[in-house]
Every structure is written in C-alpha cells, then in structure tokens.
Amino acid sequence: MADRRRSKDVARKDNAKRTLMWLFAFIIMLTGALGYGVWKKDASWTPALGLDLEGGFQFILSPRSTEGGSVSQQQLEEARDIIVQRIDAQGTSGAEVTTQGSSNIVVAMPGVPTKEQQDAIAASSQMQFRPVLATDLGSPQAAEPTPSATTSGSGSGSKSSSSSSSTQPSASRSSSTAASREQERTAEPTSTPSDSKSSTTSGTKTTSGTKTTSGATPTASEQSWKPSGKPTDELDPNNISTKVWKEFQDLDCSKPPEDQPAGNTDSAIVACKEDGSLKYVLGPVVVAGTEIADAQAGYRVGPQGQQTNEPEIQLTLTSKGRKEYGDVSKQMVKLQGLNPANPTNPPASYNALAAVLDSKVLIDPGFNEAIPNGQASISGFSIDEARSLAKSLKFGALPLSFDVESRQEISPTLGSEQLRYGIIAGLIGLFVVLLYSLVQYRALSIVVIGSMLVAFGITYLAIALLAWGYNYRLDMAGVTGLIIAIGVTADSFIVYFERVRDELREGRNLRAAVEAGWARAKGTILVADGVNLIAAVVLYVLASSGVRGFAFTLGLTTLIDLAIFWLFTHPLLTILARNRFFASGHKWSGFDVDTLREAKVRYKGRGNFDIDNPVAVPAEGSAR
C-alpha cells in the first residue's frame, strides 16, 4: 500500500514537471513566431495601438451621384455600410466610419493606411451580373455548398410563376416547366463539359501534367486551359485567358481576391462566394447593377393569390436592364446547369448568372425560362436572409462615386499621457496584489508572482501576434480589460490557496491538501471564469466598437487565466508540496498550521469571507 502511494506521488510530481515543460515550450514557440515576424519585417515586438492611443489618418469623402441629382440619406447610410464592410475585409482594426450631416462620410483609420486601403475606401461600389464560366471549391478546407435558392419569372408576361433555377450549384427545376424545357437543352448537367456534344462549349482543356490521386478526376482548377479562339459573346468560355485561369488556379477564398478595377467590365474575372465555399471564373458583365430598379423582400404569393410562408425577393429591372436580362435568360435557358452533385465545373457555357458585389458572388441563379418582362422572384432563404440580400441588390450598385475632400493626420484622442496613466494604474494594482499575497501567503507568494509573470508574458505575446496576423490594435478600453484581469487572476489564486488551507485545518498533510483543494477549487474557478467569458462575448457582440476592445481583452485574459491555473499554478504547487520547507509547515511557508487556526476571519476568494471560531487541529503527524 505504501509503495502504491509512493508511486502515485512520484507520478503526480513527474506529470507536474512535464506540464510546466510543455507550457514553457509553448511560450518559446510563441516568442519564436513573433521573432520570425520581426525578422521578416512584418511584425513588431510591441503591440499595435488603436486610434485613441496612436492617432492615424482621417478621410472626408463627399459622395457624388453618377446619374446626377442629390444623394439621399438612405444612399449615404448604405454607402457607409459598404465602406465598413470593405475596411473589415482588409483586416483593419479600430477604424471608425461615420456620416457627417447629410453630405459627407468620415473615415478615421489608425496608423498609416496603405495605398490599397485608401483606394478601397474611395472606390465606387460595383454590382454586376456576370455569366459563370467555371467553378471549384473555394479552398481545400471549404465544405461543399448546398442548394438553397431559386429564381422564377413574375408579373405579366411571365410564362409561369413557378419556373425556377438554383442560386447554388444545383439543377433543381420546377415541375411545371422542367419537362417542356428539357428538349431545348443542348447539354445535360455534367462535371465534364468537354465530353458534351453541345456547341456552346469551346476552348481547349487538357489534363496532362496534373497531379491527382490515382483513379480520381482532377478538379476544375487542377486542369490546364487555354482559349481556342476569340470569344463570340459574354457566355463563351474563350473569355477565360490563360492569365485569368492561372489566377483561378491560385485563388484561395480563405484569402479573398482584391476588388477588381471599376472599369473591368469587358473581360473575365475571378471571384469568391460570400461564405468562401466556392470560387468562380466569371465572364464579362451582361447586366450592370445600376439597372436594378428595385429589390423587395417579402413572402411569395401562391397561384390563387394567397400569401405563402415562403420568403422571396422581388427583383425589378429598368427598361434597359429588362432587355439585357431577357436576352441573357434566352441564351442561358438552352445551356447546361451547374453540376449539383459536384462543385467542380470546368470551363464551359453554363446556365448560371452571378450577381457580384466587390468581387463577392451573392447569388448564381440559372434560368428555366426566359424572363422578358424584367421582373424575377428569388426564393430559398429565410426572411432575414432575403431582406439582407434584397438590400445588397438594391443598394449594392449605388450610382455613387466618392471625392476625397480632405486627408489629414489626426492626433490620438487620449494620447500617450493617458496610456502612461493606464500603465501606472496597472502597475499599482499589480503591486497591491503582490503585497497582499506576500503578507497573506508569505513564501507561497512565489506562486502568485510566477503565475502573474507567465500570464503577462502570454498575454503580451498574444496581443503582439494578433497585431501581426490580424491587424489587432490595442485601445484604451482594451488596456482597461487587461488591468481588470489582474484582479480576476489574483482571485483564482486566493480560491485555490484557501481551499488548500481548509484541508490543512481538517488535518490533511500538505500533499493530500493540495490535491483535495484542487478538486474543490477548480469547479469554482471554472464557473466564475465562465461567467466572465459569457459577459465578454455578450459585450463584444452587442456593444459598440468603443466597448469591444474591453470585451475582447477581458475574454482573452479570462482564457489565459484558466490556462495558467491548470498548466502553471497547480503543477507548481504540486511540486512545492513535496519541498521540505513548505511541507514542514514553516511559519513563512504560508501553510503554518498554528497561524491558520488562529484566523477568525478569512477571505475565501470570489468575494466570500469565512467568519468562525478557531478549529481544533489534530495532533501533528496525523493525516487523512
């Protein structure tokens, strides 16, 4: 029995040592990663600061209607939302985009913005309708998309209100028109259009030299391609140049492509689906987004005039757009659709028309019938999704361009003085915590100091790495979250230490008290830190940008506190419990039994106090 206890004790000590070694190896890895970024001149040893602490540049944009007339407040608000989406897509953190009166948009960005960032801010939004010429998975990790939406003609002049086409790679068809249209198709949906006898497929496609698994069909982007001649129209795959095809092969939608130039309407482009699941080669523009007269979300009306529970978007085009949309629908209705079973669709003419906004494909519907009257119904999503998509379609092609009225450097709103005060406040709080631990726990405060130093190091490295990888910037609200984390971390120590002391008062030896105290303390700390984490997530999701910095650092430091508690504090205390100085109950060890039994008021951590009479302590040497 004694040998078994001794072997368990040795195993606990060895596990604690291994845990500490893995933790320090992880810290070294983080330091090495940051050092590599500094060596590559992409990162910095110091965290990036936000607009309120470092300052930056401010742009005042004056929107101008390309169709003449004044800019409405609704258009101005939508333009602001589009600029916010562009800045967020670039990974810029801490930027502020506001409207100034009813005429200007003010963009404030921390640091020195790059030329690409400045161009994206002032570029006019481009909604375009382009034919799909090829598709593939957006990235190696992307899940295959699922069919979701359909489009049908509506209003007078439409042959059927139920004809539909999929906005995802799908061949879903309406029962009322599928049979009548089947003979009109020159090709059936297939993953290898090169084998089709359809006259709509042209160009030269070869698979020699491609690396594929034995017996597997190469994906679209793994195949080589070169045009066989000049394109005859916008739907001809010969619009795909070898340069565009190379861009398509290299495209990874987890790193979306840069926005295409506004004037690039007569040539093919590459684009990604909004969720990154698909990548596309799209032909020249066949209908400009400015030809959308209206897009309204609501519920579909049934054949008898009754309202159904199926959400839809009613799309209305201008007179010019009506003709262009009708012409392309007449052409596409005779073509093969995108393969619903496989996202890989090699270069060919497809029955699929993509709506593109800033190089992102919103939908890619095909046609079962021509839509000559310029009115279409899109369905297949929830009402909230329909409203969001209708908004993008209606305002995504705002006839606006932006004139940069002014560009000026702005000083920090708080500045280095407030940052210095914040750091001083943090240092004072840290000093008070360390002083309390020294008075209350004496030599045991070495665990507090060590845990604080390790937590500080990991937090600092995490913020610096986030600044490098995700352009995260630390603002004053974030500094506040870091300061509060000092108290949260200190309270975790107190909960643990007091549970261990409770076990000592009940007569356990130090090794047994550490294990029993750990079992009691970890649940309390998990619950308390879980509440902090939930509060941080709720704040981040619901609060304004000024509070998000606080929520982010609070959540980050809460996770780090849990990691330190499990991977450093407990293993270190497990090792110290086997040290003669601490195990002997020396009066400076923090585990002196005589001192513990004299205490009548004890702080238990997490705001709890224990007030009672001294507890009789069993004779020395007894254990449970």
Side-chain angles (χ1 to χ4, degrees):
M1 184 68 69
D3 291 340
R4 184 180 298 176
R5 274 201 299 265
R6 189 177 299 109
S7 63
K8 285 184 177 180
D9 187 66
V10 172
R12 286 194 184 101
K13 185 176 180 181
D14 291 342
N15 287 336
K17 289 181 177 179
R18 277 194 295 269
T19 302
L20 290 175
M21 290 175 61
W22 279 111
L23 176 62
F24 286 118
F26 177 70
I27 294 173
I28 292 172
M29 183 185 71
L30 291 180
T31 306
L34 183 59
Y36 174 77
V38 174
W39 178 67
K40 295 288 288 184
K41 302 187 185 302
D42 293 332
S44 172
W45 288 112
T46 58
L49 300 179
L51 192 64
D52 56 348
L53 297 177
E54 186 184 41
F57 281 81
Q58 177 178 277
F59 303 86
I60 298 180
L61 307 178
S62 177
R64 174 168 45 85
S65 175
T66 57
E67 297 180 346
S70 60
V71 177
S72 68
Q73 186 66 33
Q74 189 178 25
Q75 289 178 323
L76 192 68
E77 293 290 339
E78 180 63 22
R80 183 190 66 83
D81 291 342
I82 290 173
I83 292 175
V84 168
Q85 293 172 7
R86 289 176 177 175
I87 293 176
D88 289 344
Q90 294 170 346
T92 303
S93 174
E96 297 177 359
V97 183
T98 58
T99 56
Q100 187 180 70
S102 59
S103 58
N104 292 327
I105 296 177
V106 179
V107 181
M109 302 176 65
V112 180
T114 63
K115 184 179 184 300
E116 290 75 13
Q117 290 174 323
Q118 297 181 47
D119 292 343
I121 291 172
S124 58
S125 180
Q126 293 293 312
M127 170 71 76
Q128 301 166 337
F129 289 95
R130 292 173 177 263
V132 177
L133 302 181
T135 69
D136 206 346
L137 281 176
S139 65
Q141 300 80 22
E144 293 190 12
T146 56
S148 61
T150 59
T151 302
S152 61
S154 62
S156 60
S158 174
K159 294 182 181 180
S160 170
S161 62
S162 60
S163 62
S164 64
S165 59
S166 171
T167 66
Q168 300 285 357
S170 169
S172 62
R173 302 287 188 264
S174 169
S175 60
S176 64
T177 59
S180 63
R181 296 295 176 186
E182 191 63 31
Q183 294 182 348
E184 296 182 28
R185 309 203 187 276
T186 58
E188 292 296 325
T190 175
S191 61
T192 56
S194 59
D195 297 333
S196 172
K197 301 301 181 181
S198 170
S199 62
T200 61
T201 302
S202 60
T204 302
K205 171 175 67 69
T206 63
T207 59
S208 59
T210 59
K211 297 180 181 179
T212 59
T213 307
S214 177
T217 302
T219 64
S221 56
E222 288 176 336
Q223 301 176 22
S224 59
W225 162 265
K226 63 179 180 180
S228 62
K230 293 184 177 181
T232 57
D233 56 27
E234 291 83 357
L235 279 62
D236 192 334
N238 281 318
N239 283 289
I240 308 174
S241 65
T242 53
K243 178 182 177 182
V244 170
W245 187 250
K246 182 65 168 58
E247 292 176 3
F248 177 68
Q249 290 178 311
D250 296 339
L251 178 59
D252 184 348
C253 287
S254 62
K255 302 172 183 177
E258 295 181 359
D259 295 341
Q260 302 293 329
N264 187 15
T265 60
D266 298 328
S267 58
I269 64 170
V270 297
C272 291
K273 202 166 187 67
E274 272 194 306
D275 59 6
S277 60
L278 284 177
K279 61 181 179 181
Y280 299 78
V281 180
L282 304 175
V285 175
V286 292
V287 182
T290 51
E291 303 308 322
I292 298 176
D294 193 18
Q296 296 290 337
Y299 290 93
R300 182 185 290 275
V301 177
Q304 305 300 324
Q306 77 280 11
Q307 180 175 294
T308 68
N309 59 356
E310 181 183 5
E312 69 166 357
I313 297 172
Q314 287 286 346
L315 185 65
T316 304
L317 298 160
T318 64
S319 56
K320 179 183 177 182
R322 182 186 310 148
K323 181 180 184 305
E324 294 172 339
Y325 202 77
D327 290 343
V328 73
S329 65
K330 290 177 183 177
Q331 289 180 272
M332 285 190 172
V333 76
K334 301 176 183 179
L335 303 178
Q336 62 186 18
L338 295 174
N339 190 342
N342 190 344
T344 293
N345 293 275
S349 299
Y350 290 104
N351 180 6
L353 183 65
V356 192
L357 176 63
D358 287 346
S359 296
K360 292 182 179 62
V361 174
L362 304 181
I363 51 175
D364 55 352
F367 298 91
N368 272 357
E369 63 175 358
I371 302 180
N373 65 343
Q375 294 184 350
S377 172
I378 308 173
S379 61
F381 9 65
S382 68
I383 187 62
D384 290 336
E385 291 171 334
R387 287 168 180 162
S388 176
L389 182 56
K391 182 179 178 182
S392 297
L393 291 171
K394 184 176 181 179
F395 296 109
L398 290 175
L400 300 178
S401 61
F402 299 96
D403 297 324
V404 180
E405 293 287 326
S406 66
R407 176 185 182 275
Q408 60 184 4
E409 186 175 358
I410 55 176
S411 58
T413 56
L414 295 177
S416 57
E417 190 71 13
Q418 273 68 27
L419 177 60
R420 186 170 67 88
Y421 289 151
I423 294 174
I424 291 174
L427 291 175
I428 292 174
L430 183 61
F431 174 76
V432 171
V433 168
L434 296 179
L435 181 62
Y436 172 84
S437 65
L438 185 61
V439 172
Q440 181 73 6
Y441 300 110
R442 301 179 184 181
L444 190 58
S445 61
I446 189 174
V447 179
V448 178
I449 296 173
S451 299
M452 286 286 191
L453 289 175
V454 173
F456 171 78
I458 294 178
T459 302
Y460 187 91
L461 289 171
I463 291 175
L465 286 169
L466 287 170
W468 174 36
Y470 297 94
N471 201 21
Y472 171 74
R473 290 182 174 270
L474 184 65
D475 55 15
M476 197 62 202
V479 173
T480 305
L482 296 178
I483 294 173
I484 290 178
I486 296 173
V488 173
T489 304
D491 226 16
S492 297
F493 304 143
I494 295 173
V495 170
Y496 186 20
F497 294 163
E498 290 303 322
R499 296 298 184 271
V500 174
R501 284 181 159 189
D502 285 344
E503 299 299 326
L504 287 174
R505 291 187 185 95
E506 293 179 7
R508 296 182 186 271
N509 62 39
L510 183 57
R511 296 183 186 183
V514 166
E515 295 305 319
W518 161 252
R520 294 175 58 189
K522 62 183 179 182
T524 303
I525 293 174
L526 271 176
V527 171
D529 282 350
V531 171
N532 284 340
L533 193 59
I534 292 173
V537 171
V538 171
L539 273 177
Y540 188 86
V541 172
L542 300 180
S544 62
S545 58
V547 183
R548 282 186 173 180
F550 168 78
F552 179 80
T553 53
L554 179 62
L556 176 66
T557 51
T558 299
L559 293 175
I560 291 175
D561 173 55
L562 287 172
I564 295 300
F565 184 68
W566 252 261
L567 304 178
F568 184 84
T569 305
H570 175 56
L572 182 58
L573 197 57
T574 301
I575 294 173
L576 292 180
R578 287 146 181 82
N579 180 274
R580 182 177 300 176
F581 173 76
F582 288 95
S584 65
H586 191 280
K587 65 179 182 179
W588 286 101
S589 67
F591 294 128
D592 180 18
V593 175
D594 293 333
T595 303
L596 295 179
R597 71 178 183 178
E598 293 173 358
K600 293 184 179 181
V601 179
R602 300 186 299 274
Y603 179 59
K604 307 289 288 183
R606 304 296 176 184
N608 296 319
F609 290 86
D610 192 7
I611 304 175
D612 59 7
N613 294 321
V615 178
V617 179
E620 184 177 354
S622 65
R624 293 173 58 186

